[in-house]
Amino acid sequence: MALVQIISQQSIGADIFELTLEAPVDLRVFPYEPGQFLHIRVTDSFDFLLRRPLSLCKVDLIKNHLSVVYRVQGQGTRRLAAKRAGEILDVLGPLGHGYPKHKDDRAALLIGGGIGVPPLVELARQLRQDAQSVHTVVGFQTKAQAILVSELETYGPVTVVTNDGSLGNHGLVTDVLTQAFCADFDRYYACGPTPMLQAVQRRLSEWQLPGYLSLEERMGCGIGICVGCVHKISRNGRIAQLKTCKEGPVFDAQEVVFT
Amino acid sequence: MALVQIISQQSIGADIFELTLEAPVDLRVFPYEPGQFLHIRVTDSFDFLLRRPLSLCKVDLIKNHLSVVYRVQGQGTRRLAAKRAGEILDVLGPLGHGYPKHKDDRAALLIGGGIGVPPLVELARQLRQDAQSVHTVVGFQTKAQAILVSELETYGPVTVVTNDGSLGNHGLVTDVLTQAFCADFDRYYACGPTPMLQAVQRRLSEWQLPGYLSLEERMGCGIGICVGCVHKISRNGRIAQLKTCKEGPVFDAQEVVFT
Amino acid sequence: MTHPSIDRRASYDAHHEVDLSVQFLTLSLKNPVMPASGCFAFGREVAAFYDLNRLGAIVVKATTLDERQGNETPRLAETPAGMLNSIGLQNPGVLRVIDEELPYLQQYDRLPVIVNVAGTAIEDYVQVVERLSQVNAVAAIELNISCPNVKCGGIQFGTDKQMAANMVRAIKQVAKVPVIVKLSPNVTDIVEMAVACEEAGADALSLINTLIGMQIDIEKRRPLLANGVGGLSGPAVKPIAVRMVYEVSSAVNIPVIGIGGIMFGADAVEFLMAGASAVQVGTANFVDPFACVRIIDELGAWCDAHGVRSVIELIGAAKGERGVVRS
Amino acid sequence: MTHPSIDRRASYDAHHEVDLSVQFLTLSLKNPVMPASGCFAFGREVAAFYDLNRLGAIVVKATTLDERQGNETPRLAETPAGMLNSIGLQNPGVLRVIDEELPYLQQYDRLPVIVNVAGTAIEDYVQVVERLSQVNAVAAIELNISCPNVKCGGIQFGTDKQMAANMVRAIKQVAKVPVIVKLSPNVTDIVEMAVACEEAGADALSLINTLIGMQIDIEKRRPLLANGVGGLSGPAVKPIAVRMVYEVSSAVNIPVIGIGGIMFGADAVEFLMAGASAVQVGTANFVDPFACVRIIDELGAWCDAHGVRSVIELIGAAKGERGVVRS
Ligand SMILES: Cc1cc2nc3c(=O)[nH]c(=O)nc-3n(C[C@H](O)[C@H](O)[C@H](O)COP(=O)(O)OP(=O)(O)OC[C@H]3O[C@@H](n4cnc5c(N)ncnc54)[C@H](O)[C@@H]3O)c2cc1C
Ligand SMILES: Cc1cc2nc3c(=O)[nH]c(=O)nc-3n(C[C@H](O)[C@H](O)[C@H](O)COP(=O)(O)OP(=O)(O)OC[C@H]3O[C@@H](n4cnc5c(N)ncnc54)[C@H](O)[C@@H]3O)c2cc1C
Ligand SMILES: Cc1cc2nc3c(=O)[nH]c(=O)nc-3n(C[C@H](O)[C@H](O)[C@H](O)COP(=O)(O)O)c2cc1C
Ligand SMILES: Cc1cc2nc3c(=O)[nH]c(=O)nc-3n(C[C@H](O)[C@H](O)[C@H](O)COP(=O)(O)O)c2cc1C
Ligand code: FES
Ligand code: FES
């Protein structure tokens, strides 16, 4: 837990903001993973007693800064969006288990939906650093909500899909995930709304592509002590409710049970 | 109720601040009284659900500004003290019944204790305007807490008393209130901590000097609907619990019952 | 006199597409929002801020047989997202309420007046209700069997189902207007209390009254309130109130008024969806004298934004098809 | 591994003049602050933030006979100054707790371990306590007869004094360590429950567990928690908890642990003055992983600033001479 300074706050889409912070830890010393999250107190008022989890989006190792990208969802993120550079934020993290690395892979497929796109940015950067090719498929409701596309394009091709066809292809991300398209990849990494993850998991397990899903559950503590954030995970022959803040938020797609 | 802008906030003593505001109403149109109070929301957080009552201290009719002077007592006034010029405050008032005017009086005695001194400033100004002579006796714990003395001196002589003798006379305000001293006045006006008011009432009723006390009770609404702020008042031959926010905070000293 | 502060306030007279009116017992309410008892006195003070005719109804301060001076001060404490009060039913007594307060309210021609009745013994309550039944101005009685702030009285009736039923039966014999029974949340099983009141003849239920709480003044090393304990109200209690309204409205066939921590229109929506047919706003009036009319307008705006044509559609909407808590 | 975030945090190792130690039953606690059950898991996670030996004691997650997966999600909701949870007693079962969790905690040589026990029938509880009684590492049992989050079990024992007494008697027959009974606030008369448990042989009482509440997701038009209802905790409930601790500690002769909304050292002082001999910190751990040690240090600092030589001086200090609420 640390009190860190806000470096900048920028609007990057309809009700979507990029918030850059001093890192709460020295990121060169403390090994973080793409897919991990920060647990942020939006004010010190009891009105917003619980922290809000937001995924690591970008990391600047030289300045020891990091950023999160978030959509104003309710009152808490609304308060966060009102903060300005120079203000102090109470931040815990990076927390959880992010996307694992596979050194021998050569081609990675990244799949993001809506406000699930941010963690893919740092993931793409790291995969490229490991000399993997990266192709990203991102889906948004509409053009105004499309975010981080140019950032992702610096790491490889990006296929954009919108529900209303206002940008890129018309449809859903799964429309892009044909067997032919997927044949080129060693593995996929997905983050997005639950229905998308569920559809992606179903489709890509058909094509036998292994991958990871980043799950989203309501969190209390973010560190594994409240057991509020569980999701059903099938592991070692049984289904258990594992903590997404501690054992996750990223799980092997094969293990994730949707009900 | 109005959202008004803070004009300035200044430290004027140990943990004591003067806060100048746009008036929530047009003071030239709405007849206010010295001794009335503002009911202020210190933040919009539910952590400080109730408003805080603070007495009118100074009025600038040309700019339509007014000020309150307050001591940091607990968390709520601490929050208030953190506000800066330009910020917006939710203010209700001026509320309550202040000090009544007596046109035929010639000499007024004002008695203030500690953070009860502020309302006497506007009172002294108005009494002088009505061509009364004003002598003020103010008591403080210690020199560092002495406030508004020079302001009061612009309206007439001021006798300062401190508990530790660090400024003015050593002792209590009642030490000054001898029969000889009081003989010169038509009426007194007091505001301060309850033990002081009680002592003043006892002493000055002996010298048969009529006067007013401004009472302090915990307030909910400030407008007379919660019945939380009552004080025992003897009126028309019976003792009733009257609302200090609505029938007070200023009462005829004769009527006030201390238990 | 209209309080001049109102000048600086944006008008709340929003134009709504939604029909906010609800039929509550015999009363046609133009909207389902009314101030809660003890949080609006007898209306005079707030009338300086807005036209009381805009309220769905008004519930006045608890009225007892004789005048009461209430408890010693301090009577109020602030708590996290709430407050404690130990007013102790201070009121001028039923005769002066009839002579001085109700006539004042009669100038508001579109304002049903609900009188909250309290006491210490069944006979007191009966006498108060008898007196009020002679007055045209009273649209309904709210039986306060749940005030935690008086010794020997009030809350016992609200925590023992047999006593509550006896009380309700006695009152129903003398009341000429509908009787709403106000329930205490300080019970093991509020559904049991609600059902007992319904069976005894209650026309409607209102809930919740305050939860019994205490704050210690750690500097003075004693309870802050002179009375020791007080009643907890405000946003802090809302989850408890919503739960109780949900459970009670699922168990009885009479209408329920939801009360507890309503600060915004969205809170009123929450109570309606939990099964309330109307709501009362208490503590919010202290924070914002305009609270009730603001909440009416926010409720209307929410309905408009969500395509709700009649506020009645919201009542019980959170119960799903079976009207029970999912398990 | 110490979580590196700790580096940026000022050390809490304040030096206090005050003696914070309290004797609680057979346990000599170095301070009266312990994490509350279900709000600290089995200690491993927080051990990454600070040395658990600094705690007065640790109360671990409710342990049941068999493993439990708990309720569906969402299990958490935020409320004004509080939160609702419907975890539903997820835990690995007593055998794995004994094999995997308690041995881990034994490395902390100055940390009394209190195991919170839950179940659905007396026999379950008895079997869990029998198993735990064979383990040296257990300093005391906390009997959770107050969990609102499981069907058929837990809370019934906590709301019926006869059932509670039967439970306590059965447990006392098999327990080899002190038995603390954790009371539910969802009752009409908590003193009656407390006295029944004391008479049945409880060695101490802890209170309060959570209050039953509900939040409605008005956009989705259904209760937010998958389970419908959940337990309310956090600062919002503190006034209710303080009142209950005050009343119960005045009525029984066994020690009481105060729980409910403690966020700061001053809150701990409030509970001690209300009559608690020790306190538990729940929800605060979620907001601030350092909450327990911060509260210990704030408590020490408060005592120093107020000339308190031993924290024991504070216990019941708000009761005045007669130890009763002023009226
Ligand atoms: C591991 C993880 C990573 C996330 N990363 C991002 C991100 O990078 N960008 C982003 O915009 N959002 C992200 N989210 C979702 C984000 O946490 C919520 O949108 C946010 O907490 C909503 O807070 P609020 O106060 O605005 O909403 P409110 O509805 O007012 O919040 C009330 C409570 O519900 C919780 N809550 C509400 N919606 C969600 C949700 N969708 N998921 C989890 N908790 C919720 C809040 O945390 C809070 O406790 C992430 C969620 C998780 C679990
Ligand atoms: C009519 C009136 C006029 C006042 N004028 C002034 C003034 O001009 N300058 C000034 O410094 N103080 C004045 N006070 C006292 C001032 O209202 C309190 O010091 C202030 O409310 C404390 O708030 P807090 O949040 O700092 O304290 P907290 O103790 O955190 O407040 C908790 C609650 O207790 C109430 N409270 C605490 N102390 C008092 C108190 N002494 N009187 C009334 N309520 C209290 C608060 O309003 C709040 O509701 C006046 C009080 C009244 C009734
Ligand atoms: C200061 C105060 C006085 C109250 N007086 C009464 C009363 O006289 N009769 C009654 O039935 N309820 C009384 N109540 C309870 C409220 O009507 C309401 O049930 C409770 O405050 C919960 O609603 P809220 O959270 O909106 O305030 C009082 C509450 C407060 C805060
Ligand atoms: C997420 C969560 C889980 C809990 N689990 C348990 C439990 O397993 N056993 C128990 O006796 N109490 C449990 N409680 C209740 C707490 O121990 C405590 O009594 C309550 O939360 C009030 O304290 P607080 O306001 O400090 O949180 C739980 C509370 C929370 C918030
Ligand atoms: S958020 Fe508390 S255990 Fe995951
Ligand atoms: S403060 Fe509410 S009546 Fe005076």
Side-chain angles (χ1 to χ4, degrees), chain A residues 225-228, chain D residues 36-39 60-63 76 83-85 87 89 116 142 144 146-147 182 207-210 231-235 237 259-262 280-284 286:
Chain A
I225 61 176
C226 74
V227 203
Chain D
S37 180
C39 304
V60 301
K61 177 81 193 147
T63 298
L76 299 174
M83 62 177 283
L84 290 168
N85 88 82
I87 308 301
L89 299 181
N116 183 276
E142 183 176 59
N144 178 358
S146 45
C147 178
K182 183 160 177 184
L207 60 154
I208 59 175
N209 208 317
T210 53
L232 182 66
S233 63
V237 309
I259 321 170
I262 297 177
Q280 290 179 13
V281 175
T283 302
F286 306 158

Side-chain angles (χ1 to χ4, degrees), chain A residues 243-255:
Chain A
K243 293 173 280 196
T244 56
C245 72
K246 193 80 187 172
E247 284 95 351
V250 175
F251 290 95
D252 190 326
Q254 283 191 70
E255 298 183 330

Side-chain angles (χ1 to χ4, degrees), chain A residues 1 51-52 227 238 241, chain D residues 5 9 67 75 78 287:
Chain A
M1 204 176 86
R51 294 169 180 272
R52 267 58 178 166
V227 203
R238 58 195 287 276
Q241 299 249 55
Chain D
S5 292
R9 185 91 193 168
E67 178 175 5
R75 293 178 173 187
E78 190 179 61
V287 183

Side-chain angles (χ1 to χ4, degrees), chain A residues 217-218 228, chain C residues 326, chain D residues 71-77 86 220 222-228:
Chain A
E217 291 285 348
R218 290 192 166 231
Chain C
R326 291 169 299 147
Chain D
N71 292 321
E72 295 297 302
T73 58
R75 293 178 173 187
L76 299 174
S86 59
K220 297 196 176 138
R222 61 173 194 229
L224 192 146
L225 299 176
N227 189 52

